[in-house]
Amino acid sequence: MKKITALLLSLVLVLSIFVGCGNQETTSSEDGGQEFKGTIKIGGLAPITGSYAEYGKGFKYAWETAIDEINAAGGANGYKLEIDVQDSEGDAVVSTTLATQFAEDEEIMCILGDFSSTCCLANTDIIERYGIVQFSPTCSSPVFCAESIYNFSINGLTSVEGQFAAKYMVGEYLGGETVVILRADNDWSEATAEPFVEQCAREGIEILADEKYQLDEKDFSSIITKARSLDPDVLIILDQGTAVSAICNACDSVGWDVPRINIGATTSQQVADQLVVKNLLTPASFFFDPENEALENWRVKFREDTGYEPTSHSVQARDTVYLLKQAIEKIGDGEITREAIREGLYCSEMDGFTGKIIFNPEGDITRRAFYICGVGEDSQWYVIEKVEFDPAEF
Amino acid sequence: MKKVKNTIVKYKLFFILAGLAILLLLPLVITKSVYMRHVCNVLIFATLASSLNIINGYSGQMCLGQAGFFAVGAYTCAILTTNYGWSFWVVWPVAGCLAALMGYLVSLPTLRLQGIYLSFVTLGFSEIIRIIAQTWTPVTGGNMGIKGIPFPIIFGKELFKPHDYYYILLATLLLFLFITSRILRSRIGRAWISIREESNAARSLGVEISRYKSMNFTYGAFWAGMIGAAYAPYVNFVDSSQFSLDTGFDALAMVVIGGQGTLIGPIIGSVVVTVLTESLRFLQYWRFVIYALIIIAMMWVRPQGIAGASNSILAGGKIRRSSRKKAISRNR
Amino acid sequence: MEYVVNQIINGICQGAIYALIAIGYSIIVGVVGMVTFTYGEIVMIGAFAAYYTFQLVGTNLVLAILASFAASFIVGGIVYKLCYERFFNSPRHISLLCTIGFSILIKNLAQIIFGPDTKPMINIIENKSYTLEAFGISIVIKQLQIMVLVLVIISSVALTFLFQKTKYGIALRAVSQDKTAAYMVGINVRRTAMVGNCIGCGFGGVAGILLSIYYYSCSPLMGSSFSMKAFSSSVLGGLVDIRMSALGGLCIGIIENMGIMISSATFRDIFAFGFLIIVLIIKPTGFASSGKNRRVKSEKG
């Protein structure tokens, strides 16, 4: 019994030390010295622990730095922004609980996040009932935005990406006639593959096979062998993250140099670094352009502060904050309410790091231009061609 | 200590009634939905952990795949209420029974297996269920999951608020506790415990081990299914990623921390784990590091769990305690 | 035909990877007599030790192997002290939960210390492959695949020799079979078990290097899926028998790839688990002869 009390006491002690540290940090960072009309609180949901920690930490970093930037420049519409980022662990139950917490806190005006579509969709009912915006940088579910007027996402309608890749990359750029699709078995790849397949049919491109694999797949040799036996002109990889480079490397290790197009990872530096043979193309609405000074500075700072390369997810997270700022500015002298923020976001437009963002009435965005990017021998992404198109043509 | 115990025994009914009254009035005291959600989460995991405790704690088998039974319940409820418009109240027992059927099926091959082999089959089963849920798109929605699961309606009132939903979850847990405490005192319960403590002796005394083991699995799975069915409308959206092995491991941690083989143990475990993980939030990235350290520390200090009895085989029996004494004297 | 042969080759290579990690796993389970869920994290530690060796001193495989072995050996020692030693006489679930806790600990620490992203491990070993032509079928085999296969065979034979013939190995086996009896004949049970566990972990670390070179990357979460496969392989092999565990790994690899050949890669785990469950139903102790496994069987779950 004594031992337990001792343990509990020491635990309390350790925890209180942590609390002490935490409090000190926040008080010291509040010395701004600027005059604000007031403070607008934002809730942030991100998986900063667990399998998606890489992206969650990127979110947290991108949100907080963007808000610091905005506050340093006088705030949004004269208001100081404040974000409270909570760890949703990528777990639907935790995320819904946190969403309720934010929604109930009347000071919180908007929720940024979550990362995964499981969490975003699970939160939909709550945010709808409380009437608070859930603005996800990356929710990939095709039905997310249509589900509620309070849902916004700037992941971009993946259908366009698929159609673009089919028409302009496989068709016009590579001139391929047969393709094999390899894709992770998740909602995002399903939503992307379908329009891709339809567009291929219109372009007269034959789909030889559509192979799915589990999300944590490590060994791709057998599906590569399967794909190779069909001998396609182009290999399409629908996935995000390191599986893309793993698939390419598995191809190269058996000496199969088929042209590969990846939809999903965009211009991830990690993917480029991990390629043994730099043979990969991707349609990107955005890429880390070394000539775009602001973006390059941001990227360098991200790497210095976090110790790893940012992915496009973090950039999207940054853009959500600026879109929010713009929405708050639209309110002008009116009262800042949750509803006003929703109206401010509705059908808004902005030039972000991730390209031109135009919300459609559902709250999703449609891209109007893509870069065709390829990896160079120095593991950097290069733009091969910029293609502007009208989404209506598909 | 004894005096306290005597008082508790003497006024047992009073204590139970008082506890019930507190539980029933809880939503009136807690006004914020978010705290109520935390309470609901505790109840969900308490029931899930309790159902696991039936298998692990009472018959001494080691099931690692409780997430599988949980998934069966949740998906049954989600599919039947959302796609076929069944009433939640009809679906609820159906989901429990379906999970029980699964439990029975799993128990059949596992009767011959023991120890790690049995654990492995349950683990494999849980993963197979998850993959089926992920790939059987026409029925389970596949990767898109099932969204907009209707909330239960009682007397024309839609129970979407955590304050109202709380009563469904509380009822599940109380019903579970009531029925289980009856069963444990019956011949079946005694048979389970005898299998756990000394299976050879139990067999020689005429306990049909295989029958009782499979009954045990079926019963444990039934409650995992029941709480799964109650969970689905609560989160309003199910997809396969919610039923990974980690969910099963979480439940296991709650059972062991609270005290395996006791009725109250998993409930305490669920409260402790939830309170810990929530109160450690300010640690940000370090949260789970500290949480893991606390789990290990807990096992060192009190391996039988917070509410565990020290004289059962689960606490390691006498050997365990003497070695601990040695360790203490060595430290001094 | 060529396609089928190539798929079988893929299966064998994949199986060899499973076998490689299963060997360390079955040493641990054999000596300690308890299931571990930290093994995947040990493999990850080994991979990261190699990654940082390459970063610091350049591509030196020997040094990297030593570093990985040492790092995972040490972590193995910590696991032993924290999760096993105290709980030899306790029911199994206690040390099991401790290993789950330790695995959470290492995973989260690794994400903080090493960073949560995936690190590239390319161009460590020359990406050479050999093409064999026989009966009109051409088969492509990578140098690394041959290395893994050879390593599996050598280490399973060598370890079996160590366990069967040397004095130390016999002590290890005695500990793994009956701790009390081993204690009575004068074996230092605690130390022997600890060293045995650490050797198993060291093996896991070395497997980690090959794994990360084979897949060109390492990340803090790389271990979990492999640990599950190592677990399956050694269950299939009867848990304590090294050669059988290696064989189990091979079988699972081949079955999985055959399954993928006829259906889809999504069902990979279903084939692995399904096969295992069927084997266990027919033969409740896996491939190992049931006599050897009386110990594992008779213990409480």
Side-chain angles (χ1 to χ4, degrees), chain A residues 50-51 53-54 57 185 212 214 217-219 221-223 225-226 242 249 253 270 273-276 308, chain C residues 3 6-7 10 14 111 116-118 120 122 142 215-216 221 225-226 257 260-261 263-266 268:
Chain A
S51 332
E54 178 185 351
K57 285 181 178 179
D185 197 359
K212 291 187 274 188
Q214 285 284 328
E217 184 68 84
K218 293 272 181 343
D219 195 299
S221 52
S222 53
I223 53 171
T225 308
K226 213 169 171 179
T242 46
N249 290 340
S253 63
Q270 281 184 40
D273 283 339
Q274 282 159 24
L275 288 179
V276 178
Y308 59 95
Chain C
Y3 170 61
N6 266 317
Q7 283 292 27
N10 282 338
Q14 173 125 52
Q111 283 191 333
D117 56 327
T118 308
I122 55 173
K142 273 192 287 180
Y215 295 122
Y216 308 101
L221 300 176
S225 62
F226 286 116
N257 278 270
I260 293 172
M261 196 172 79
S263 66
S264 154
T266 328
R268 180 189 284 273

Side-chain angles (χ1 to χ4, degrees), chain A residues 363-382:
Chain A
D364 212 325
I365 61 168
T366 314
R367 306 274 180 201
R368 289 169 193 283
F370 276 110
Y371 301 98
I372 298 178
C373 293
V375 189
E377 278 308 312
D378 56 351
S379 297
Q380 296 294 323
W381 286 95
Y382 290 100

Side-chain angles (χ1 to χ4, degrees), chain B residues 216-286:
Chain B
N216 177 268
F217 246 98
T218 312
Y219 184 68
F222 173 77
W223 285 102
M226 289 293 273
I227 194 64
Y231 162 89
Y234 173 71
V235 289
N236 206 244
F237 171 73
V238 292
D239 77 350
S240 62
S241 70
Q242 296 167 10
F243 306 100
S244 64
L245 287 176
D246 287 341
T247 312
F249 288 161
D250 281 347
L252 182 72
M254 288 169 189
V255 172
V256 179
I257 287 174
Q260 195 161 306
T262 56
L263 269 183
I264 195 79
I267 300 170
I268 294 181
S270 165
V271 174
V272 168
V273 169
T274 311
V275 169
L276 260 183
T277 46
E278 284 308 314
S279 61
L280 291 175
R281 272 196 177 274
F282 64 90
L283 293 174
Q284 303 269 354
Y285 316 131
W286 291 90

Side-chain angles (χ1 to χ4, degrees), chain A residues 77-137:
Chain A
N77 195 14
Y79 289 94
K80 186 183 175 193
L81 297 183
E82 230 179 77
I83 190 161
D84 174 15
V85 182
Q86 291 287 351
D87 176 17
S88 68
E89 302 164 36
D91 183 307
V93 178
V94 181
S95 191
T96 46
T97 310
L98 291 171
T100 316
Q101 183 183 329
F102 287 143
E104 277 215 321
D105 186 343
E106 278 164 15
E107 290 192 330
I108 302 250
M109 287 299 150
C110 167
I111 298 173
L112 294 182
D114 200 328
F115 173 79
S116 66
S117 35
T118 302
C119 296
C120 291
L121 281 171
N123 291 341
T124 302
D125 182 68
I126 294 162
I127 59 132
E128 172 98 20
R129 285 185 198 277
Y130 282 95
I132 185 169
V133 166
Q134 175 180 225
F135 189 2
S136 169

Side-chain angles (χ1 to χ4, degrees), chain C:
Chain C
M1 188 60 207
E2 182 177 316
Y3 170 61
V4 175
V5 173
N6 266 317
Q7 283 292 27
I8 292 174
I9 301 280
N10 282 338
I12 292 172
C13 293
Q14 173 125 52
I17 296 268
Y18 293 161
L20 188 69
I21 41 177
I23 287 173
Y25 194 93
S26 68
I27 297 178
I28 297 174
V29 177
V31 173
V32 183
M34 297 190 217
V35 181
T36 168
F37 276 101
T38 23
Y39 188 65
E41 279 59 51
I42 303 260
V43 169
M44 181 267 291
I45 292 281
F48 268 95
Y51 173 79
Y52 283 107
T53 316
F54 292 143
Q55 292 284 307
L56 291 175
V57 297
T59 311
N60 185 334
L61 202 59
V62 179
L63 214 59
I65 289 179
L66 286 177
S68 307
F69 193 86
S72 29
F73 194 92
I74 293 167
V75 177
I78 300 172
V79 174
Y80 178 82
K81 284 285 174 198
L82 276 181
C83 306
Y84 304 135
E85 194 175 60
R86 256 177 100 91
F87 306 117
F88 273 136
N89 298 316
S90 315
R92 202 176 255 142
H93 66 257
I94 295 173
S95 76
L96 182 95
L97 187 67
C98 272
T99 59
I100 292 179
F102 199 80
S103 140
I104 299 176
L105 177 75
I106 300 270
K107 255 191 279 194
N108 282 279
L109 267 184
Q111 283 191 333
I112 295 168
I113 297 169
F114 304 141
D117 56 327
T118 308
K119 309 261 192 274
M121 291 265 268
I122 55 173
N123 303 327
I124 307 292
I125 291 178
E126 202 189 341
N127 194 11
K128 228 200 264 174
S129 56
Y130 304 98
T131 311
L132 301 175
E133 300 262 0
F135 312 112
I137 299 168
S138 69
I139 299 160
V140 186
I141 299 179
K142 273 192 287 180
Q143 199 182 359
L144 197 63
Q145 289 175 328
I146 299 173
M147 267 176 69
V148 171
L149 211 58
V150 170
L151 191 72
V152 167
I153 294 167
I154 291 177
S155 52
S156 54
V157 171
L159 284 169
T160 311
F161 177 79
L162 176 91
F163 271 62
Q164 305 281 356
K165 297 284 188 267
T166 65
K167 196 180 159 200
Y168 189 69
I170 292 169
L172 273 178
R173 264 195 318 145
V175 170
S176 91
Q177 270 162 10
D178 190 334
K179 294 202 171 52
T180 322
Y183 183 72
M184 280 199 259
V185 296
I187 295 172
N188 186 340
V189 173
R190 276 163 197 268
R191 203 202 302 149
T192 316
M194 171 157 170
V195 174
N197 173 58
C198 290
I199 291 176
C201 289
F203 246 90
V206 176
I209 309 183
L210 284 175
L211 222 62
S212 53
I213 297 175
Y214 193 85
Y215 295 122
Y216 308 101
S217 63
C218 61
S219 77
L221 300 176
M222 67 185 279
S224 29
S225 62
F226 286 116
S227 119
M228 211 42 88
K229 287 290 150 64
F231 187 21
S232 330
S233 310
S234 38
V235 165
L236 191 57
L239 282 170
V240 294
D241 191 314
I242 292 164
R243 279 172 302 177
M244 286 301 164
S245 297
L247 190 67
L250 269 180
C251 281
I252 291 183
I254 295 170
I255 292 285
E256 278 183 7
N257 278 270
M258 294 290 99
I260 293 172
M261 196 172 79
I262 55 166
S263 66
S264 154
T266 328
F267 301 115
R268 180 189 284 273
D269 286 353
I270 288 197
F271 286 111
F273 287 128
F275 172 67
L276 228 141
I277 291 173
I278 291 169
V279 169
L280 287 182
I281 291 170
I282 299 167
K283 207 160 173 303
T285 53
F287 289 165
S289 59
S290 33
K292 264 189 190 168
N293 273 52
R294 214 172 295 135
R295 184 186 60 80
V296 180
K297 263 180 77 179
S298 65
E299 264 179 50
K300 287 253 166 205

